[in-house]
Amino acid sequence: MSLSVVARSNYQQVKEHGLRIESQNHGDHKVNIDQVYKSPDEITSAFDYIVCTHKAVNPSKVPPILKPATNDNTTFVIIQNGVGNEEPFRTTFPNNTIISCVTWVGATQTSPGLIKHTKSEDMQMGLFPNPKLNSDLEQQRLNTFATLLATGQTIFQVEKDIQIKRWEKVVWNAAWNSITTLTDVNTQDWLASSPEAIPVTKHLMHEVIDIAIRCKVPLDHSLADGLVDKISAMPGIFSSMHTDMKEGRGLEVDVILGYPMRMAKELEMNVPVLSTIYALTTAVNGRLTSCR
């Protein structure tokens, strides 16, 4: 088994010194990397698995640039926030297996090539079924990747319907990512900011849940209460979207808010809170990307 990575801002450090991980769960490790690339167009042979953990910004632009690294036996593993992430990959690679993942992890690259990981760690994964492929073959590819994770003692569960987990997390992200970004306050400060904060948050969550249900993803509206209770029991936190905003990077608007918004329009649903949050977050993203 060999591992290659595409590195960008940390390319030189990773190329010369490798990738280091300091984990509260798994200890300190130096990752053995066979090849470090600046871009996928440097790759000249296909990989068995391509693991995509990049930010889902302009998601449709990424699959075409991965073509040099693929053949029909390549399996894509998508570990990203949002919903609808699989569709650009399926459009570009109609004959390939896609494993879709939802991750809950506390990890930060504190300096080029150094990843610090807290105890926060959990992941759900499952197939985005391809009707063109034999289901046993797809299951075998999923099982092989699961074995790799188990060997590394990664905490994960295999889900029969991964879209339930994707939409559950997007209910969380649609609220906390956008609210912390738009207000520039942490979750506890937001909840305490006014009597309207919790009702507005829950209304937003309920709208996203309604969209999921109309998309035949069986969520329950009790999820909104559970997620608000969960965040209320935690210290005030900011979101990855807030971090991107503060650092002047593009935001994951399309997959967290945009896809649910498009589904709502197609289904002719009235979602006033989501519409407002989407419009405001899109404006912030436009400001950030126009300055780059």
Side-chain angles (χ1 to χ4, degrees), residues 104 120 172 176 186-189 191 226-239:
W104 304 81
S120 174
W172 170 279
W176 306 124
N186 67 42
T187 50
Q188 286 288 359
D189 289 344
L191 293 174
L227 294 181
V228 171
D229 290 345
K230 180 178 180 179
I231 205 77
S232 298
M234 298 168 60
I237 60 172
F238 287 100
S239 64

Side-chain angles (χ1 to χ4, degrees), residues 203-277:
H203 197 152
L204 172 59
M205 290 180 170
H206 285 301
E207 288 181 358
V208 179
I209 292 168
D210 280 334
I211 297 166
I213 292 170
R214 290 288 300 275
C215 291
K216 304 189 185 324
V217 179
L219 299 191
D220 191 280
H221 278 282
S222 62
L223 176 64
D225 291 335
L227 294 181
V228 171
D229 290 345
K230 180 178 180 179
I231 205 77
S232 298
M234 298 168 60
I237 60 172
F238 287 100
S239 64
S240 59
M241 183 181 284
H242 176 269
T243 300
D244 290 335
M245 182 268 292
K246 297 298 279 187
E247 296 188 4
R249 297 191 293 255
L251 310 179
E252 293 181 300
V253 180
D254 286 343
V255 294
I256 292 175
L257 299 168
Y259 188 87
M261 193 69 241
R262 287 194 295 277
M263 292 300 99
K265 287 183 177 179
E266 287 184 16
L267 296 165
E268 299 182 341
M269 299 175 65
N270 183 33
V271 285
V273 180
L274 176 61
S275 298
T276 302
I277 295 292

